[in-house]
Amino acid sequence: MQNESRQAHWENIYTQKGESEVSWYQESPALSLELIEQVGATSISAIIDIGGGASRLVDNLVDRSFEDVTVLDLSDAALRAAKDRLGSRAAQVQWVVADATVWEPMKAYDVWHDRAAFHFLTEDRDRVAYVMRLKQGLKVGGHAIIATFALDGPERCSGLPVVRYDPVSLGKTLGMAFQLVDTRRHAHATPWASKQSFQFSVFRHCP
Ligand SMILES: C[S@@+](CC[C@H](N)C(=O)[O-])C[C@H]1O[C@@H](n2cnc3c(N)ncnc32)[C@H](O)[C@@H]1O
């Protein structure tokens, strides 16, 4: 998919649908928060949510006094929805409208979180571009928490094809610089109560 049509697709989704009208909506990103805590993140850790959309992860991080939080997404409408919800607290967050496969990280983060964005990269060159940015944008010793549909998860989301992973295939895709340190299976309940099988894997950026 071309970058422009990818951007138009997501902008359209977030313009047409309310926060809880999308299959990936979560009232509480509990597993993400648990894993962020588990990797030892503290309030001064730099955290980026890649493809964060209108997710409530950012609200929870601000509530927990994280001081250096960035949310990156292709869709300006998605980030506006999150900002509107946060109100004046939105000023405590860095917001980046960009494609994760072309964005140039301005610094390296301690935690890179991605729930259900990476799995939309169905072409090798996009995955390679993403991993290049992951290497630049994650400190050595930092952690990447990447959640995708699991091998028994859906083949499509939001009308787009996805690549499904298990921790081993995801680790192979990310390459030798990332060591798998934890993995969880997660059954996400959509707002209409169907179940979607996810895997959440945690990788350490090795020297
Ligand atoms: C299924 S939604 C998940 C949103 C959010 N992570 C959550 O858990 O609620 C996928 C998100 O990834 C974003 N996205 C898809 N491809 C992207 C890309 N190449 N770069 C940045 N964001 C992307 C979409 O705009 C959308 O917000």
Side-chain angles (χ1 to χ4, degrees), residues 57 95 97 99 131 137 206:
L57 181 63
W95 304 94
V97 179
D99 187 318
V131 172
C206 307

Side-chain angles (χ1 to χ4, degrees), residues 137-168:
L138 182 64
K139 288 180 189 170
V140 170
H143 292 88
I145 300 166
I146 303 192
T148 67
F149 283 157
L151 295 182
D152 57 346
E155 292 178 14
R156 301 180 75 82
C157 177
S158 180
L160 300 175
V162 303
V163 180
R164 299 175 296 175
Y165 293 93
D166 64 10
V168 173

Side-chain angles (χ1 to χ4, degrees), residues 10-11 86 111:
W10 288 106
E11 194 65 6
L86 279 163
V111 179

Side-chain angles (χ1 to χ4, degrees), residues 6 10 14 24 51-53 55 72-75 98-100 115-117 120:
R6 187 148 66 197
W10 288 106
Y14 284 106
W24 53 93
S55 162
L72 176 145
D73 201 276
L74 265 180
S75 165
D99 187 318
R115 171 177 178 264
F120 288 104

